[in-house]
Amino acid sequence: MRPDRADAPHRPSLFVGDGIFDPCEVVDDVGTELRAMAPAGVEVRTHHVSGDIGRVRGDGVRFRQIVEALGQHALHRTINGEVTLQTAAWLGDTEVLIYVMVADHGTRIPKERQAAMFAPFDAATRVRTLASRAGLPLAIELAQRMHGQVRLVG
């Protein structure tokens, strides 16, 4: 994600703002929240590959919503094992690129369900799927508005 970019078309409900935040701090906070929600037998870890990224310009609230949605989805699917929130960052010419990986030991998602999980959220009809309950479609749209992406690997 490129948190310094918030020039996506304006939609009040998904407005991406501007500010200064620390991505590692956000991921650590979300990790703490997920630990409190985790069932017995599930461990939540955080790891910062690049060390402390420092403060960046972007929408920290929306970044947090994305990390929370991905983390909660992973936690929901994991019965035993661990959920890991991992960050890394690269300095571009004019921007900081932030990579957040959420890994889990949950059940494998069949290919046919993956497409439905990543389908756009339809607020007009309030289509409710497993993904919309977990916040994935909104997280995907927010990431896109911040010129990032959400991908499923595995």
Side-chain angles (χ1 to χ4, degrees), residues 1-6 19-24 50-59 63 87-100 143 146-148:
M1 278 185 283
R2 295 178 0 195
D4 61 322
R5 300 289 304 273
I20 304 292
F21 72 100
D22 183 333
C24 291
S50 306
D52 185 14
I53 295 169
R55 297 171 69 74
V56 298
R57 182 174 207 85
D59 191 330
F63 180 78
T87 60
W90 294 267
L91 295 175
D93 293 335
T94 60
E95 63 208 7
V96 175
L97 303 175
I98 300 171
Y99 171 84
V100 177
M146 295 170 72
H147 297 271

Side-chain angles (χ1 to χ4, degrees), residues 1 8-11 13-16 62 66 118-123 135-150:
M1 278 185 283
H10 175 69
R11 217 168 89 190
S13 62
L14 292 178
F15 176 75
V16 176
R62 294 303 192 185
I66 293 166
F118 283 79
F121 178 74
D122 187 350
L136 286 180
L138 293 175
I140 291 165
E141 186 167 342
L142 286 171
Q144 290 170 344
R145 288 174 179 270
M146 295 170 72
H147 297 271
Q149 60 182 321
V150 173

